[in-house]
Amino acid sequence: MYPVKGLDGIDLEAADVLDGGTVAHDREFALFDTDGDVLNGKRTERVHALETDYDPATGLLAVETPDGEERQFDLEADRGTAAAWFSEFFDVELSFERDTSLGFVDRREMGPSVISTATLETVASWFDGMSVEGARRRLRANIEVAGVDPFWEDRFVGADAPAFEIDGVRFDGVTPCGRCVVPRRDPDTGESIEEFQTRFVRKREATFPEWADPDAFDHYYSLMIITRVPESDRGRTLSVGDPVETRRN
């Protein structure tokens, strides 16, 4: 989950699928400027300068700056103090908003993003010095599936695509995720890999799986999929270790 849009993620052993179809605590908070535009990694690489952690049980957001300053904010009781601090750090007037029904996800009519561990391992191998954890932090998926082939998730989008279930919770693939500027940047330093997109596209085309529907992809600068959970399966809990099964429609 990425509790504050644009900032660091957290790992959870279990999380609920909200009634709106997204996952609890994902992009639950976001920083907005006075024009109503969100502040995130697409807008400024300065987000990578901050190290953050969030505890859903207490609502406390811990922040550390590059010069070692440490702050803690109570996002349950006092988001105003947090907004003032972030406004000073980013040098723009910001408000700290919250949405517990859907979160501030980019595709509010859809649901969780899904990728396989093998996909992350493969992408990391395309770039010198990139670790699997680094790829994971660059690509920022909600759900990671182990024990399957690279690009396993690609089979769930396109014409006549199957669905999959996580411990009985159904996921329908909606669309591949076209990538933005964020994956090219080191998640700690913000430093960009030169010609990242060019190499990514070349490798992606060369390894595109035979089981995937090419018509479902607008371009090869796409990785992971965005899914939708049917209303009948919302409100249930997903847990690390749940079994995953493919389901034909």
Side-chain angles (χ1 to χ4, degrees), residues 124 127-131 138:
F127 300 95
D128 292 342
M130 184 183 294
S131 66
R138 290 169 188 262

Side-chain angles (χ1 to χ4, degrees), residues 7-29:
L7 300 184
D8 291 339
I10 59 172
D11 294 329
L12 297 179
E13 290 296 312
D16 295 335
V17 179
L18 298 173
D19 290 342
T22 56
V23 183
H25 307 303
D26 188 46
R27 282 78 172 185
E28 183 173 341
F29 300 94

Side-chain angles (χ1 to χ4, degrees), residues 13-147:
E13 290 296 312
D16 295 335
V17 179
L18 298 173
D19 290 342
T22 56
V23 183
H25 307 303
D26 188 46
R27 282 78 172 185
E28 183 173 341
F29 300 94
L31 290 157
F32 289 91
D33 65 19
T34 55
D35 292 326
D37 295 324
V38 70
L39 187 141
N40 57 15
K42 297 176 186 178
R43 180 168 170 179
T44 173
E45 62 188 32
R46 192 158 166 73
V47 296
H48 302 295
L50 295 176
E51 183 175 336
T52 62
D53 192 23
Y54 177 72
D55 184 352
T58 63
L60 295 179
L61 175 69
V63 181
E64 184 175 351
T65 66
D67 59 7
E69 178 188 357
E70 296 183 3
R71 294 294 303 268
Q72 186 168 271
F73 303 104
D74 187 342
L75 299 188
E76 293 282 350
D78 185 14
R79 289 194 296 279
T81 298
W85 188 89
F86 280 94
S87 295
E88 182 176 354
F89 181 83
F90 288 109
D91 194 26
V92 59
E93 186 177 346
L94 298 167
S95 62
F96 223 120
E97 306 297 333
R98 185 180 195 181
D99 183 346
T100 57
S101 62
L102 285 175
F104 296 103
V105 295
D106 288 341
R107 302 167 180 85
R108 294 172 67 81
E109 73 282 6
M110 301 182 194
S113 53
V114 178
I115 201 167
S116 72
T117 304
T119 297
L120 294 172
E121 292 170 345
T122 300
V123 171
S125 74
W126 294 346
F127 300 95
D128 292 342
M130 184 183 294
S131 66
V132 176
E133 177 61 19
R136 183 176 289 122
R137 293 177 63 200
R138 290 169 188 262
L139 296 166
R140 300 169 70 85
N142 294 135
I143 297 171
E144 185 177 322
V145 179

